[in-house]
Amino acid sequence: MTTPYPITNRLQDCLNHHQPWFSGKTFLVTGGAGFIGSHLVRHLLSMDAHVVVVDEFNDYYDPAIKRANIADFLNHPNFTLAEADIRDAEAMMALVAQHHQGLERGGIVHLAARAGVRPSLSEPRLYLDTNVSGTLNLLEAARPFPKLRKFTFASSSSVYGSAPDNVPFIETQDVTSPISPYAATKVMGEELLHTYSHLHGFQVVGLRFFTVYGAAQRPDLAIHKFTKRIANGDTIPVYGDGSTRRDYTYIDDIQQGVLAAIRYDATPYELINLGESHTTTLAELIEAIENAVGKKANIDRQDLQPGDVPITYANIDKAKRLLDYHPTTLIKDGIPKFVDWYNTYKQHTCAVTA
Ligand SMILES: NC(=O)c1ccc[n+]([C@@H]2O[C@H](COP(=O)([O-])OP(=O)(O)OC[C@H]3O[C@@H](n4cnc5c(N)ncnc54)[C@H](O)[C@@H]3O)[C@@H](O)[C@H]2O)c1
């Protein structure tokens, strides 16, 4: 299973290094048809692992994009697709029971979630049901199988809330003041996992992803949305004066962290930041996209949105120490790569209005 687009040398080195360990093991990847999940599935298959994807192909963004993300895998002998909803406790029980023997050697990588910050303000119950009850359903499905304990969880930088004076964010920081329902559900997910680690011996790594981008990025996220609109000559909505800062993380860097986290077993419960540990203002981001696309943006300036944080910035010392995580792609190099992907694959994104 090769990638249809180039991956970084660092990620290729990681794949070579991890391959003997992953080969032959089975992983349940929830949200495996999504942006981050479909990259992971591709890399797992490339290392001869077996993968069971759970995804419900909801219409948060065009499900055709998610189908396209996994189209290459459908005939792979090591790939199984379960179209199911993680909110369905019985379905999760049955699925995990069916695959538990393989999963006992591999594990669960739980990426499925309602992932947008702003929509969580209008649909908090959907976010709670999916991100918290859905997580509980997977833990409960695994609980009867004492050898199935490895659980890797997608958390988020948004757990740090609005704390511009406390950057770069470090894992020991207080996260009891989330400012969006989405962020609150990620904090709850982390806490639930801690409880199951303590009570039932789950081996948990919660990864706090900092805004991830790259090939197949979700179309609702700024880099994808802006690229599409600038390329088409459409107006881009810009919230605030352009000074908000984000730590943008390239997808291949996230993948090296996820793969190492899946293997990590030195301690029972860890929360680990995965970012680039560099920040970029919104204005700088737009300029980088303009340069890569070769067109100027038409900006529609709007007020800052409730739930948005002024800055995200990761301290990644822990990831370096525990996961040998070494991100290599800064935004100046990552944006042209994203725009290259967009120009090649934009037909996949055409149906999307986000
Ligand atoms: N992309 C980022 O910048 C970012 C940053 C921080 C955290 N995260 C987290 O990483 C994970 C993956 O994010 P992504 O950007 O790939 O998002 P994505 O929306 O592309 O992928 C999530 C997948 O989960 C599936 N899903 C959602 N609800 C489901 C349900 N009830 N049952 C089964 N499947 C369901 C969706 O159909 C989708 O394919 C999420 O947990 C997200 O919160 C992402």
Side-chain angles (χ1 to χ4, degrees), residues 3-4 38 40 70 77 81 105 113 123 133 153 206 219 230 315 330 350:
T3 50
S38 58
L40 177 64
I70 60 159
L81 174 62
R105 295 187 57 230
E123 293 195 275
S133 298
F153 173 64
I230 293 171
N315 176 312
L330 293 179
C350 283

Side-chain angles (χ1 to χ4, degrees), residues 30-38 54-61 63 66 69 82-88 92 110-116 126-127 129-131 134 153-158 182 185-186 207-213 216-221 249 251 254:
T30 73
F35 161 44
I36 297 171
S38 58
V54 182
D55 207 296
E56 63 150 356
F57 298 92
N58 64 48
D59 64 358
Y60 173 62
Y61 60 87
K66 302 175 189 184
N69 286 343
E83 286 202 42
D85 187 335
I86 61 167
R87 291 171 297 173
D88 183 341
M92 292 306 107
H110 179 33
L111 306 175
R114 289 285 168 162
L126 175 63
Y127 275 67
D129 288 347
T130 307
N131 299 2
F153 173 64
S155 187
S156 165
S157 61
S158 61
Y182 168 70
T185 65
K186 289 295 182 183
L207 296 170
R208 292 175 173 167
F209 297 152
F210 284 65
T211 315
V212 189
Y213 74 101
Q217 191 198 30
R218 286 193 347 243
D220 59 308
L221 290 173
T249 317
I251 185 69
I254 284 291

